[in-house]
Amino acid sequence: MTKRLDRLHLILTFLAVAQQGNLTSAAKALGTTQPTVSRRLRDLEAMLGARLAARSTHRFHLTPEGVELQRKAIAWADAWSEWEQEMQATGSMPTGLLTLVGPHGYGNTLLMDAIAEYRQRFPQVQVNLKLTDGQVDLIREGADVWICAGGCRDQTLHVRRLGWMHRILIASEDYRGAPVRTPEDLESQPLVGLVPHVYGQLELRSVRTGEKRSVRMNASVATDGLLASYRAVQLGMGIGSAAPWLCGPDIAAGKLRRILPGWELEPVPIEAVTLAGRFRPARIDAFLEILAAQLAKTTGFRRTPA
């Protein structure tokens, strides 16, 4: 049985034959041979169970069934051409619906700021933002792009590394734990865990020398939500972590204080994850360029880990 993909070739061959009026001219227009065109025409007739053309050495004309098929095939070809032009236009100009997925903390701030600028520049694009702090299945979510904090491990997806977000240790001004002068002093302190990024084993790096230390802390409270973790720190439930863009205003206002100012946690990669493929709609690339520019102005964000 003729494969479905081959049916397109058969229809296109038939259209060429009908338009050219003979097999030889049709073969030349298609860049193939006359026997190939003749075979394709026979295959199409066998598939449809109808004779489409009466042909002899000197004469060729379509049967009534061939005339009807030509009419329908021309309409199909015109619709295909129109659809192709629309798709090409979509590929160069942002249009349609942009569906984003990102973590709650980033969605409420950085992502929404980028969306506001995006909508000003491309008001013809609708934006749907879904927030989750867990792993994301792009196909199941019907999403165009996932802004992932912490790194995507699925090698079947296309990952664009936007940069790294630096993180520091913080505590509430009301927190009354033992003094912390060295990384090892953290081991006796309660941790506000942010699963899976800040939980159990903490990897620290000296801001001045780049020296690395590994410290184990027990989590008194743990959550997979960035904003919930931050709130627990504000309530004095232990030492936690945050990016400077999030905790900076509270530190400046005296509501939080930095723990171990000479040290910070290993930076977290920020990535834009899309389905793998050669072509990506313009609406995605346009948003990622705006987001990258927004992140570049964000305190604590770096295009490189250092």
Side-chain angles (χ1 to χ4, degrees), residues 45-120:
E45 289 177 330
M47 183 181 70
L48 298 176
R51 187 163 188 175
L52 302 175
R55 52 212 182 260
S56 64
T57 304
H58 302 291
R59 294 190 60 192
F60 177 94
H61 67 272
L62 296 178
T63 64
E65 292 80 8
V67 172
E68 178 63 15
L69 178 60
Q70 183 187 29
R71 182 184 65 80
K72 293 181 177 179
I74 288 175
W76 168 80
D78 289 343
W80 175 275
S81 179
E82 181 178 343
W83 179 78
E84 184 179 19
Q85 291 174 4
E86 290 176 356
M87 291 299 292
Q88 289 173 347
T90 300
S92 59
M93 177 62 68
T95 59
L97 172 66
L98 176 68
T99 301
L100 307 171
V101 181
H104 283 89
Y106 285 68
N108 292 334
T109 51
L110 303 178
L111 291 182
M112 193 53 69
D113 291 345
I115 290 172
E117 181 177 344
Y118 182 78
R119 283 280 299 148
Q120 287 180 350

Side-chain angles (χ1 to χ4, degrees), residues 17-192:
V17 170
Q19 291 168 0
Q20 296 294 329
N22 62 76
L23 302 182
T24 301
S25 298
K28 185 178 296 184
L30 293 170
T32 187
T33 64
Q34 189 270 339
T36 298
V37 170
S38 180
R39 175 181 56 78
R40 289 178 181 174
L41 187 57
R42 290 196 303 271
D43 288 346
L44 182 60
E45 289 177 330
M47 183 181 70
L48 298 176
R51 187 163 188 175
L52 302 175
R55 52 212 182 260
S56 64
T57 304
H58 302 291
R59 294 190 60 192
F60 177 94
H61 67 272
L62 296 178
T63 64
E65 292 80 8
V67 172
E68 178 63 15
L69 178 60
Q70 183 187 29
R71 182 184 65 80
K72 293 181 177 179
I74 288 175
W76 168 80
D78 289 343
W80 175 275
S81 179
E82 181 178 343
W83 179 78
E84 184 179 19
Q85 291 174 4
E86 290 176 356
M87 291 299 292
Q88 289 173 347
T90 300
S92 59
M93 177 62 68
T95 59
L97 172 66
L98 176 68
T99 301
L100 307 171
V101 181
H104 283 89
Y106 285 68
N108 292 334
T109 51
L110 303 178
L111 291 182
M112 193 53 69
D113 291 345
I115 290 172
E117 181 177 344
Y118 182 78
R119 283 280 299 148
Q120 287 180 350
R121 293 175 58 180
F122 305 107
Q124 71 274 16
V125 182
Q126 294 176 294
V127 180
N128 184 6
L129 174 63
K130 301 179 181 181
L131 298 179
T132 176
D133 292 318
Q135 292 294 306
V136 173
D137 184 328
L138 286 173
I139 296 178
R140 185 178 63 189
E141 295 289 345
D144 289 307
V145 59
W146 168 32
I147 304 303
C148 174
C152 174
R153 296 173 179 82
D154 190 339
Q155 297 183 352
T156 66
L157 299 172
H158 179 271
V159 177
R160 174 182 171 182
R161 180 69 54 83
L162 299 174
W164 281 260
M165 190 65 73
H166 288 239
R167 302 168 299 158
I168 60 177
L169 293 173
I170 55 173
S172 168
E173 275 297 324
D174 298 330
Y175 174 71
R176 293 294 178 260
V180 179
R181 299 183 177 88
T182 69
E184 287 70 26
D185 292 337
L186 291 168
E187 295 180 353
S188 61
Q189 305 289 325
L191 171 71
V192 174

Side-chain angles (χ1 to χ4, degrees), residues 167-172 175 186 189-194 198 202 204 217 220-221 229-230 232-234 236-243 247 256-259 265:
R167 302 168 299 158
I168 60 177
L169 293 173
I170 55 173
S172 168
Y175 174 71
L186 291 168
Q189 305 289 325
L191 171 71
V192 174
L194 177 58
V198 183
L202 271 61
L204 300 176
M217 294 183 68
S220 58
V221 176
S229 170
Y230 189 68
V233 174
Q234 290 176 316
M237 301 175 73
I239 294 174
S241 69
C247 64
L256 296 176
R257 57 191 169 94
R258 184 169 178 179
I259 303 297
L265 293 165

